[in-house]
Amino acid sequence: MFGSKQPSPVAEYAATGEVERVYHEIRQTLRVRGINLIFRTWAGHKGLLRVLWDTVRPNAETMMFEQSSDQIRSAAVELARPLGDLGAKQQTLLGPSQAFQLHEILKLYHYINPKLLLLASAVRQGLDGELSIKQYSATEPAERIAPGIPANMAALEMEDENPSSSQLQTLFSDITETLSLRSINSDYRSLALWPNYLDAVWRGLKPKVQSAAYGTAADHLRERSRRLASELPYPVPLSRARLEGEGIDFDETLQSCETFEQLLPGLILNIAICLRDWQPDDALLRSPFPATAIPPRSQNDGRPEFTGGAK
């Protein structure tokens, strides 16, 4: 993605100026306590994160976006069921505090990953011109979500991508090689805070992710996301002329979006499979952090304000 000399992703603690402003808006609008790899990657390219986020943000602020993400999440739970149980929780000795923290991290990814897939699909379709001229047909603006990070959401914490532990080095290497990843994803880095649990997870997941049934399930989830993205209310004008006018490589941006759109369905399925050790399916079908809408008369008052310096 982005050629052989791609810049490094921008970590949250290193964000300044425009990137810091966008990171703040992403946390508030997507209601997540951290910045995922897709945004950190785009932030490594001057101007790209601002253009993509500012273009897709009107949709990301809507209840329709939230509800569409809910549909992707519930579809993943249904698709995970026939792939079989994992049993990683039962194989790992976890104290009550460790189990609680781990469960909260899994819930965080269960919540945010479907949003990231929907966003990647919307951006890709915008780049393809499919959503560039779309117009919202209703007389009133689409209902907007109340922004803000849920108070009970865990922080997005991760192990270093180059860990000192030989156990994690071996695990990360096997995961990236098996899944043909350029780098280890945030989900695995977070689970690596409990190395024995990640080891049990990967031993159970590895044969599943290599199966035809898993590939079919991921394809189904991706197509669901594309359909839902096409139904979002607002246009996503990301023409070649616009991006190149901003000094952004259009083809590499499109390749990046396609890469994330390929990657995320598997991550969503993996988290759903993991969580089936922790919660019954009917509970997993519901959003772990239900959103509320801004009252119609307050629709212009709910945008998250950035005052600088927030991390």
Side-chain angles (χ1 to χ4, degrees):
M1 165 187 350
F2 290 111
S4 58
K5 296 182 179 180
Q6 57 175 321
S8 299
V10 178
E12 284 188 76
Y13 70 83
T16 59
E18 177 183 272
V19 171
E20 184 183 17
R21 185 269 300 178
V22 175
Y23 278 6
H24 171 77
E25 292 180 358
I26 288 169
R27 285 189 293 263
Q28 295 297 311
T29 302
L30 297 186
R31 305 174 67 239
V32 64
R33 202 180 297 279
I35 299 297
N36 294 87
L37 179 61
I38 186 170
F39 302 118
R40 301 198 306 269
T41 298
W42 290 344
H45 301 263
K46 186 176 180 180
L48 179 60
L49 177 66
R50 171 184 56 81
V51 170
L52 296 187
W53 173 249
D54 286 352
T55 305
V56 80
R57 175 176 164 175
N59 281 311
E61 292 178 325
T62 65
M63 279 298 293
M64 185 180 292
F65 185 92
E66 186 80 15
Q67 291 163 353
S68 296
S69 301
D70 291 345
Q71 289 187 48
I72 293 171
R73 186 181 307 106
S74 61
V77 174
E78 297 288 0
L79 290 164
R81 185 181 294 117
L83 296 175
D85 295 334
L86 196 62
K89 178 188 176 186
Q90 292 76 13
Q91 297 169 34
T92 310
L93 294 176
L94 296 166
S97 177
Q98 289 179 313
F100 175 80
Q101 294 174 53
L102 180 48
H103 188 198
E104 292 302 307
I105 284 289
L106 289 169
K107 286 163 59 179
L108 182 153
Y109 283 108
H110 191 49
Y111 178 71
I112 191 59
N113 282 347
K115 288 187 160 190
L116 301 179
L117 176 57
L118 184 61
L119 185 143
S121 293
V123 171
R124 187 194 63 80
Q125 290 181 38
L127 291 167
D128 284 343
E130 297 172 35
L131 300 183
S132 296
I133 59 174
K134 184 176 185 176
Q135 296 294 327
Y136 187 60
S137 59
T139 57
E140 297 292 332
E143 186 176 49
R144 284 177 51 212
I145 188 174
I149 302 167
N152 59 339
M153 177 180 281
L156 192 78
E157 297 180 342
M158 293 175 282
E159 175 62 73
D160 192 271
E161 61 184 329
N162 296 305
S164 58
S165 162
S166 59
Q167 177 190 14
L168 289 178
Q169 289 173 12
T170 300
L171 274 171
F172 283 7
S173 177
D174 192 26
I175 292 169
T176 54
E177 181 178 348
T178 301
L179 300 178
S180 301
L181 302 175
R182 293 182 67 98
S183 60
I184 194 74
N185 298 116
S186 301
D187 307 51
Y188 305 116
R189 289 174 58 190
S190 288
L191 298 186
L193 296 173
W194 299 271
N196 291 336
Y197 178 74
L198 177 61
D199 181 73
V201 164
W202 182 240
R203 279 188 281 108
L205 279 179
K206 187 174 181 178
K208 296 183 191 298
V209 303
Q210 296 173 310
S211 69
Y214 181 95
T216 299
D219 289 344
H220 180 89
L221 212 55
R222 188 177 304 107
E223 289 305 314
R224 174 72 68 92
S225 177
R226 289 173 177 172
R227 179 179 63 77
L228 290 167
S230 71
E231 297 169 356
L232 292 172
Y234 298 120
V236 183
L238 289 168
S239 66
R240 179 181 292 273
R242 179 184 177 189
L243 265 65
E244 292 181 348
E246 297 267 2
I248 297 168
D249 189 303
F250 178 88
D251 293 321
E252 290 184 342
T253 300
L254 180 60
Q255 181 186 359
S256 169
C257 292
E258 290 174 343
T259 297
F260 281 112
E261 197 185 31
Q262 283 294 121
L263 171 69
L264 283 159
L267 290 174
I268 295 168
L269 282 172
N270 292 351
I271 294 298
I273 292 170
C274 288
L275 274 169
R276 295 189 70 239
D277 284 351
W278 299 78
Q279 295 176 252
D281 288 347
D282 60 345
L284 295 176
L285 292 171
R286 300 188 295 271
S287 172
F289 304 103
T292 57
I294 298 174
R297 292 184 181 275
S298 305
Q299 289 287 313
N300 294 325
D301 302 326
R303 290 182 181 273
E305 180 181 358
F306 176 63
T307 57
K311 289 290 189 288

